[in-house]
Amino acid sequence: MTTLLIRPDDKTVTITVQQRTLRAPQDAFRILTPIDLQTVFRPVFPFPGISGVKNQTEAWDHAGPRRNPQFDDGSQADEELTEYTPGSSFAYQLTNFTNILSRLAAGVRGEFNVNPDGDGTLIRWTYEFKPLPGRRWILAGPFAPLWRRYMAAALDRCVHVIETEKNSEPVPPRAS
């Protein structure tokens, strides 16, 4: 059983981004959940991109699988899928960072929610950092806008992958 990183009384730093797609929620979720991390997590200064994933032994389609994202600066983290609600949401936690995050946070809880939005889908992605003692001000202050920019760029690429996936109905062009 997974030991959850964040407890109700923890003082965390939460950053959320969201974006819409014209794809139906079931298509968005089906494409998003196993998405190739190297495709969507590219470097956005000052943060590295993901160069690969090691040690993933199970499909990313239920709570429990683990893997080690590899960053293009040579660092890595431990990742575990902690919640999975088919067609709707999934959550994961990242711990044991070997980069600068190891000095700022005990770990992170990430969560994607896929919600109906008219004829399409609203994707909401939240990162909840559990700061190390005395580091919350850094995460909530100068770090937060930089991380939000990183997340927005990655979510934009996720939506691009979702909308160009060949195994789904074509997405009509957006009105100008």
Side-chain angles (χ1 to χ4, degrees):
M1 173 138 180
T2 299
T3 301
L4 293 180
L5 172 71
I6 297 175
R7 300 181 181 278
D9 59 341
D10 286 332
K11 301 240 183 298
T12 61
V13 174
T14 302
I15 301 170
T16 301
V17 295
Q18 65 183 30
Q19 191 167 334
R20 289 172 169 79
T21 175
L22 297 173
R23 290 275 185 229
Q26 66 273 13
D27 285 338
F29 188 84
R30 176 183 54 78
I31 298 164
L32 178 64
T33 305
I35 206 159
D36 177 24
L37 300 182
Q38 286 176 251
T39 300
V40 298
F41 291 98
R42 296 187 189 146
V44 176
F45 182 80
F47 304 111
I50 293 182
S51 60
V53 174
K54 290 185 177 177
N55 306 319
Q56 183 172 335
T57 57
E58 297 179 66
W60 210 246
D61 61 2
H62 63 282
R66 296 171 186 255
R67 61 189 180 189
N68 300 104
Q70 307 294 303
F71 301 100
D72 58 19
D73 66 356
S75 64
Q76 69 173 17
D78 295 338
E79 182 179 24
E80 180 180 0
L81 192 58
T82 57
E83 298 172 33
Y84 185 88
T85 304
S88 173
S89 67
F90 62 94
Y92 54 94
Q93 59 188 31
L94 292 155
T95 56
N96 301 317
F97 288 97
T98 62
N99 58 20
I100 190 68
L101 281 176
S102 70
R103 295 185 201 118
L104 297 174
V108 175
R109 180 184 187 276
E111 181 177 349
F112 277 94
N113 289 281
V114 176
N115 301 297
D117 185 53
D119 291 335
T121 301
L122 175 67
I123 301 170
R124 185 170 292 123
W125 180 26
T126 299
Y127 243 53
E128 186 177 11
F129 291 87
K130 182 175 181 174
L132 290 172
R135 305 301 196 300
R136 187 178 189 288
W137 72 271
I138 298 169
L139 290 170
F143 180 87
L146 296 171
W147 193 259
R148 185 174 289 106
R149 186 179 66 173
Y150 182 78
M151 288 176 69
L155 185 55
D156 186 54
R157 287 188 288 273
C158 287
V159 168
H160 176 75
V161 169
I162 290 166
E163 290 189 349
T164 58
E165 171 70 29
K166 293 182 183 8
N167 294 335
S168 299
E169 293 295 317
V171 173
R174 293 183 188 263
S176 306

